[in-house]
Amino acid sequence: MHELGIIVHVAKTLKHVALQENVSKIGSVTLEIGEVSGIVESYLTDCWEYYRKKDELIEDSKLIIEKIEAVTYCDDCEKTYPTVQYGRQCPYCKGYNTWLAVGNECNIKEIEAC
Amino acid sequence: MTDKMKIIEVKQSVFADNDADAEKLRKELKSEKTFLLNLMSAPGSGKTTTLVQTINRLEKDLKIGVMEADIDSDVDAYTIAEKTNAKSIQLHTGGMCHLDADMTRQGVKELDTKDLDLAILENVGNLVCPAEFDTGASMNVCILSVPEGDDKPLKYPLMFTICDAMIINKIDVCDYFDFDMEKVREYAYKRNPNLKIFPISAKTGEGVDEWCNWLKEKVTEWNK
């Protein structure tokens, strides 16, 4: 349940962005969430619905979530494979010399604001 | 048409501002010669008992303070105050399952770490969320206790990846559980080849000296 903590940090970042861009109302926020980031989408949305009402800047703002598929790279056979299906073990060489290439993201991609 | 919405590209990690806050806190603590230890584990692994043993061994050489973070209550801060001479305060996270750098900073301020060599943050009992947020600590350590099982490094990989050391607590009850010490090492090294591992029993005191000597070495190095 670190979703609430994440939303608090999103709101904090948006405050900085709003100041920089000279906007006072945010209509939507698009987040990019990696498939294996450990973030539960429905919890994140619930936390957003709760938290946005506390902050004038985001109170009418929609939360849009874009999922990023997780991909693991194998150092031994230099191939990539879908992480969720195979985990840490490479399906080609059965080795464990693998690392997550994408899929752990939690980024604010863009906002709509005025 | 001032109220027309425009799209603004942000392209920033949600954790970026916390990471920056954490780095700032780490630098400030370094310059005032205070080592901040972030201690994490699941609830009931023996964090507080381990701390009591650790403080009682180190307090003749180091000035130590403790921040106990919990969702509610102050039982841990009381235990530390009762059983050690270290200064202890209780932080409430307001329902949050972890501490971030900003909350840690508030704790550091309340504890008043200026004269301390070692400040210990006992994070909320949880193997998932605290690993995501850099607190600004000089070092991260987790405790895994024997009854929890040897497979935890596989199930909660991030925790074991971000830690500098892992304490395996409650080794005095090893005979009653199917806990394979070799397996847990193998699983943990798979996540983090540089991990230091200390099997201890905070109850009997077995192995605690080794952990304390290592910690003291790290604190001395940091505060040089």
Side-chain angles (χ1 to χ4, degrees), chain A residues 1-2 4-6 8-10 12-13 17 21 23 25-27 31-32 37 88 96 106-114, chain B residues 2-15 17-18 21 94 96-98 100 102 128-129 132-133 158 190-191:
Chain A
M1 257 312 276
H2 58 309
L4 181 57
I6 288 171
V8 172
H9 281 281
V10 168
K12 215 169 136 191
T13 305
V17 173
E21 300 285 339
V23 293
K25 210 79 190 139
I26 294 180
L31 301 184
E32 292 173 324
S37 62
R88 266 190 67 98
Y96 282 98
C106 179
N107 299 328
I108 305 174
K109 185 187 176 192
E110 60 187 28
I111 58 171
E112 273 183 283
C114 63
Chain B
T2 47
D3 59 350
K4 194 152 194 277
M5 290 276 175
K6 59 177 176 181
I7 290 179
I8 301 166
E9 254 200 38
V10 182
K11 277 283 173 203
Q12 191 185 323
S13 164
V14 171
F15 298 108
D17 77 318
N18 185 61
D21 285 349
M96 218 83 96
C97 51
H98 60 273
D100 62 16
D102 197 39
V128 186
C129 317
E132 294 274 5
F133 291 87
L158 186 64
K190 210 185 261 180
R191 299 296 168 203

